[in-house]
Amino acid sequence: TTKVGGEALMAMESVVAVARSRLSFVRGPSALRNHLKDIQQELRRSTCLVVTSDEPVSGSAHKANAVVSHHVQQTNFLATAEMRLRTIGAKVDSAYPTPDHIKRGVDLARRSGADVVIGSGSGAAMDLAKCISLELKLEKPLILAPATLGALMASTSSIPGLILDTSEEALVLPSERYNMHDDSGSASVVVALNDSLFKPHKSFPMIRANNSHFPGVPTVADAALASLLVALDANKNMKKDDELVEQLITKTVHHAMKALDPLLLLNQEADENQHEQLLEDSVEAVLLAGQLLRFQESVPLILASALLPRYFPQSHILTFMASLLPGYCENVSALVDSEWAHNVSLTAGVTPLSRQMIAGSTPTVEQLLDCVDANMSLLSSTTNADAEYDYMLLEQVLQSNLSR
């Protein structure tokens, strides 16, 4: 991955191949428009299933949802009115797609003859678009246009989507396929990074200020801390002589730290140019961290998939992961000092794990681990992925973070 900053980033329009050969990025102003123009003739011979998010939220999350809605509206206008493509729409109206969302999307695509999938909006839309494309076994590239930092991480991850199993109250993998970026038959993935993702706005603040503990809208600091956690966890699990993963880890840590160090010295009234640079580094960290996400042996993903739906339903996955960093550094990784992680989390206003729990819920660590165990057993029974994890390590990470 090539780091491109400032004006150079905004002038860049070419597709840059990164990580595995199945993933590429289009970056710059109007990235999605320019990419669709490049393949317009081919798209006009196709029917496009446009997968978008339609999450009804209120209160603190209202402005963030408005940003996503505007992004989705732009995508729909671009595909239909400007490009005059044949489109059919599928929506996800919840924080995570369900098996029913996938079935309806697949059925719709088959009835309409759709052979191209475009995902736009939130992380749920990214996951649903990936699941539908995978289920249809499409040959044409999957096009993803994330509107938020969480959506960016979901779009770049090789995981084929996290699906809410409503009966088990857990997030699971949708199929036997594990890695979307390998060469075993899935379509390639093109992620369009529009310049709006790099523009600071009040909907996605730098830090959580004024004692606000609402965890449903992640801050830029949440995203950087979550990316740092993913990189440290990937380093723990990295296979010997895997130069690609080592490079991704190094660059993720570099950009996360570059975003966090000066961020803590700023307030919400800081210069917009400073905010833009910090946001850019957080975007780079998230973009890289997404490529490091693997379900097997991943502490942040194992805990998030098992616990978010049942005990932390109001939390965003980036905020949840960010709150795990101090306990992870204390018990797992010596690469980052645990006290630094604790202090930086406090200064950035990361909502403590105990305050993210659903009101009235006071489960013990043992009860939380029972949920993890049940979810990993479910994963093993429904996919070919070997669900391996260190029970004692998870216990230590949870205990450390819940006591903070």
Side-chain angles (χ1 to χ4, degrees):
T1 303
T2 303
K3 171 69 172 73
V4 182
E7 295 179 0
L9 172 64
M10 297 309 160
M12 184 176 179
E13 297 293 347
S14 60
V15 176
V16 181
V18 294
R20 312 300 177 189
S21 60
R22 313 294 292 178
L23 174 67
S24 60
F25 295 127
V26 182
R27 304 177 64 165
S30 305
L32 180 61
R33 172 181 285 107
N34 291 337
H35 180 61
L36 295 183
K37 280 185 177 180
D38 287 343
I39 59 174
Q40 186 173 10
Q41 294 306 312
E42 181 180 355
L43 289 177
R44 283 185 172 174
R45 295 191 293 269
S46 302
T47 297
C48 303
L49 179 71
V50 181
V51 180
T52 60
S53 46
D54 183 23
E55 300 177 51
V57 295
S58 59
S60 300
H62 177 70
K63 289 182 179 179
N65 190 62
V67 170
V68 174
S69 296
H70 179 67
H71 183 90
V72 167
Q73 290 170 4
Q74 286 185 318
T75 300
N76 284 327
F77 178 83
L78 175 63
T80 56
E82 187 172 335
M83 298 290 173
R84 299 176 182 267
L85 305 178
R86 289 193 303 273
T87 64
I88 188 91
K91 288 186 177 182
V92 54
D93 53 2
S94 54
Y96 307 98
T98 64
D100 185 56
H101 285 120
I102 298 173
K103 183 180 183 304
R104 283 184 293 175
V106 169
D107 289 346
L108 186 61
R110 286 174 174 159
R111 289 198 307 270
S112 63
D115 56 353
V116 173
V117 175
I118 301 172
S120 175
S122 69
M126 301 300 103
D127 281 346
L128 180 57
K130 289 162 72 175
C131 291
I132 292 172
S133 177
L134 197 62
E135 183 70 22
L136 292 172
K137 298 180 172 61
L138 298 180
E139 296 180 357
K140 295 180 180 179
L142 167 63
I143 302 169
L144 299 175
T148 66
L149 291 171
L152 176 59
M153 183 172 284
S155 67
T156 61
S157 169
S158 67
I159 296 171
L162 290 176
I163 307 305
L164 178 62
D165 185 322
T166 53
S167 62
E168 299 290 340
E169 290 187 280
L171 300 174
V172 298
L173 298 179
S175 70
E176 295 180 356
R177 282 298 314 284
Y178 172 64
N179 191 333
M180 289 196 69
H181 299 166
D182 64 20
D183 294 315
S184 59
S186 63
S188 59
V189 180
V190 178
V191 179
L193 284 153
N194 282 338
D195 54 358
S196 59
L197 193 60
F198 297 84
K199 296 294 184 183
H201 42 68
K202 293 182 179 180
S203 304
F204 304 108
M206 295 293 122
I207 60 176
R208 193 170 282 102
N210 302 322
N211 297 316
S212 169
H213 293 291
F214 182 75
V217 179
T219 65
V220 173
D222 288 345
L225 289 164
S227 299
L228 183 58
L229 173 66
V230 170
L232 295 177
D233 193 62
N235 184 72
K236 175 180 71 72
N237 298 320
M238 182 176 61
K239 296 179 181 177
K240 187 178 181 180
D241 299 326
D242 193 333
E243 294 183 4
L244 174 60
V245 171
E246 185 176 1
Q247 290 174 10
L248 286 172
I249 291 170
T250 300
K251 291 179 179 180
T252 303
V253 172
H254 169 74
H255 287 293
M257 299 295 283
K258 192 177 175 184
L260 287 168
D261 282 342
L263 181 64
L264 302 180
L265 302 176
L266 301 178
N267 56 47
Q268 298 299 298
E269 304 301 323
D271 181 81
E272 184 173 324
N273 290 331
Q274 292 175 305
H275 276 190
E276 189 165 342
Q277 182 60 50
L278 297 175
L279 178 58
E280 185 179 316
D281 277 304
S282 289
V283 168
E284 293 293 337
V286 170
L287 180 153
L288 293 159
Q291 298 170 66
L292 290 168
L293 281 174
R294 304 286 187 272
F295 209 104
Q296 293 159 305
E297 301 181 359
S298 169
V299 168
L301 269 182
I302 287 172
L303 291 177
S305 63
L307 303 180
L308 272 175
R310 179 172 296 183
Y311 291 110
F312 305 90
Q314 301 300 316
S315 293
H316 191 282
I317 191 169
L318 290 182
T319 305
F320 179 84
M321 286 185 176
S323 68
L324 295 176
L325 182 65
Y328 187 92
C329 293
E330 181 178 332
N331 293 282
V332 184
S333 177
L335 296 178
V336 174
D337 180 70
S338 61
E339 282 307 306
W340 176 90
H342 176 64
N343 291 333
V344 78
S345 296
L346 282 177
T347 307
V350 176
T351 309
L353 194 61
S354 59
R355 295 196 184 184
Q356 293 183 45
M357 280 191 188
I358 190 171
S361 176
T362 55
T364 64
V365 171
E366 289 72 22
Q367 288 173 315
L368 295 177
L369 289 170
D370 285 344
C371 279
V372 171
D373 193 49
N375 195 41
M376 298 310 285
S377 297
L378 177 65
L379 177 69
S380 296
S381 66
T382 56
T383 74
N384 286 336
D386 294 325
E388 299 178 2
Y389 64 101
D390 186 329
Y391 187 93
M392 185 173 294
L393 183 150
L394 296 181
E395 180 180 21
Q396 292 169 340
V397 171
L398 282 174
Q399 189 68 61
S400 294
N401 285 302
L402 287 171
S403 63
R404 289 181 181 269

